[in-house]
Amino acid sequence: MISEMTGNASILTIVAFTMERYVAICHPFKCQKLSRLPRVIKTIVIVWIVACVSAAPFAIFTTIHYVDFPAGSGNYCPMSAFCSVVMEDHGRYVPLFMFSTLAFFVGPLFAISTLYIKIGFRLKKAKVCRQISDSSLSERNPPSRRVVLNILGKSSVSPIYFKDKVRNEVLCKMSNNVRKCKIS
């Protein structure tokens, strides 16, 4: 039971860290509100409770087995004791193994993959915005003005207006407030 429980807790902890990274990167303002010590403690406690409850059936169905030596003789070697789920009645344990596989392998695999893909798209979008903003700032503006415009350009609150119509269209399409963009 302990090995199953720690394995499940490890997987759930990785999913929790991935969700925390997703919130920190894709929703930074929510991250400040959500990342508090009481919430972290609750998450850890919930992870271990779920891991313990999901490992309990394995503890119920696990028995001690001995190796029959020589095979088929009926002589069981006491030094060969090991614990495992009885495999003679295989059909009875299929739902248990299917649940464990889906809940602690397929589900977390899908969740982690989806979250990291979303993180990747968000970082790629931020990199493109930064490259367009930085290249246009360095062409026309003095250093002190570049710093101010760089700060304003990285927030989605106020779009930066450029004389170049193509760059302005690109920035307007990338920002969420399309109505405020003026293409001149």
Side-chain angles (χ1 to χ4, degrees):
M1 176 175 160
I2 292 175
S3 65
E4 190 74 24
M5 181 177 66
T6 55
N8 294 347
S10 297
I11 293 165
L12 294 174
T13 302
I14 292 170
V15 171
F17 280 130
T18 304
M19 291 173 78
E20 187 71 23
R21 286 181 187 142
Y22 170 77
V23 170
I25 293 171
C26 296
H27 306 285
F29 295 115
K30 287 182 183 179
C31 180
Q32 292 177 352
K33 190 171 98 174
L34 296 175
S35 295
R36 303 269 189 241
L37 185 61
R39 184 174 181 271
V40 172
I41 291 171
K42 287 177 189 174
T43 302
I44 291 170
V45 168
I46 289 170
V47 161
W48 279 98
I49 289 172
V50 169
C52 184
V53 168
S54 64
F58 285 95
I60 293 169
F61 296 121
T62 299
T63 58
I64 299 173
H65 299 279
Y66 297 97
V67 173
D68 187 14
F69 186 77
S73 67
N75 296 330
Y76 296 106
C77 181
M79 299 297 286
S80 67
F82 65 96
C83 295
S84 72
V85 176
V86 180
M87 295 310 291
E88 288 91 31
D89 190 12
H90 182 68
R92 185 172 156 195
Y93 303 110
V94 169
L96 177 65
F97 290 128
M98 290 299 289
F99 168 76
S100 182
T101 302
L102 290 174
F104 298 103
F105 180 72
V106 176
L109 176 70
F110 180 73
I112 290 170
S113 299
T114 303
L115 291 173
Y116 275 122
I117 288 170
K118 286 184 174 189
I119 289 170
F121 283 138
R122 176 65 178 230
L123 292 175
K124 184 177 180 181
K125 182 180 174 183
K127 184 178 179 183
V128 169
C129 289
R130 192 176 328 114
Q131 286 175 348
I132 291 172
S133 173
D134 290 347
S135 67
S136 63
L137 288 174
S138 62
E139 292 172 0
R140 295 177 216 155
N141 299 313
S144 62
R145 189 168 176 193
R146 262 187 253 142
V147 171
V148 172
L149 290 176
N150 200 8
I151 291 169
L152 291 174
K154 288 186 179 175
S155 71
S156 64
V157 177
S158 62
I160 298 174
Y161 301 105
F162 297 104
K163 291 179 184 174
D164 187 3
K165 185 177 180 179
V166 175
R167 286 190 183 146
N168 197 8
E169 287 178 12
V170 170
L171 283 175
C172 287
K173 288 178 183 174
M174 287 181 170
S175 70
N176 292 335
N177 39 10
V178 176
R179 283 180 256 134
K180 293 183 181 179
C181 292
K182 293 180 184 176
I183 301 172
S184 54

